[in-house]
Amino acid sequence: MRRRRGTRKVPATAIATVREWSDEEGWGVLDSTETPGGCFGHYSDIQGSGFRTLSPGQEVDLVWEAPGFKQDGYDYRAVSIVPRTA
């Protein structure tokens, strides 16, 4: 049985790059080959303490899911975001 794109409900992992991020709105878009079109990320999914933010171009370890509905226009949403250290 083939799965249709956007129906994966089991979280999967990937290395992603931050496309854009808004501290004011608390969310942004992450890109990886596993999430074509981008993955919605919310500040509450960033693992860490204190003020949690990301910067465009930053690499992160991403756990994502495709919930079967559009999250702010994206087929994929982050479940966990861990900023990578250089």
Side-chain angles (χ1 to χ4, degrees):
M1 179 163 126
R2 288 187 150 178
R3 288 181 183 239
R4 292 185 323 194
R5 189 178 124 210
T7 60
R8 181 184 189 104
K9 293 192 180 192
V10 176
T13 61
I15 296 172
T17 303
V18 178
R19 180 192 315 167
E20 58 185 277
W21 190 263
S22 171
D23 285 336
E24 293 170 356
E25 295 183 17
W27 69 275
V29 182
L30 312 168
D31 289 319
S32 76
T33 56
E34 291 85 357
T35 58
C39 179
F40 173 87
H42 191 263
Y43 82 93
S44 64
D45 296 312
I46 300 171
Q47 305 304 304
S49 59
F51 184 71
R52 294 172 284 174
T53 186
L54 299 171
S55 300
Q58 182 178 6
E59 284 195 336
V60 297
D61 291 316
L62 172 66
V63 178
W64 59 270
E65 69 178 359
F69 60 87
K70 296 251 187 217
Q71 176 72 52
D72 288 307
Y74 298 95
D75 290 329
Y76 306 95
R77 71 175 173 201
V79 176
S80 174
I81 304 167
V82 179
R84 300 190 99 191
T85 56

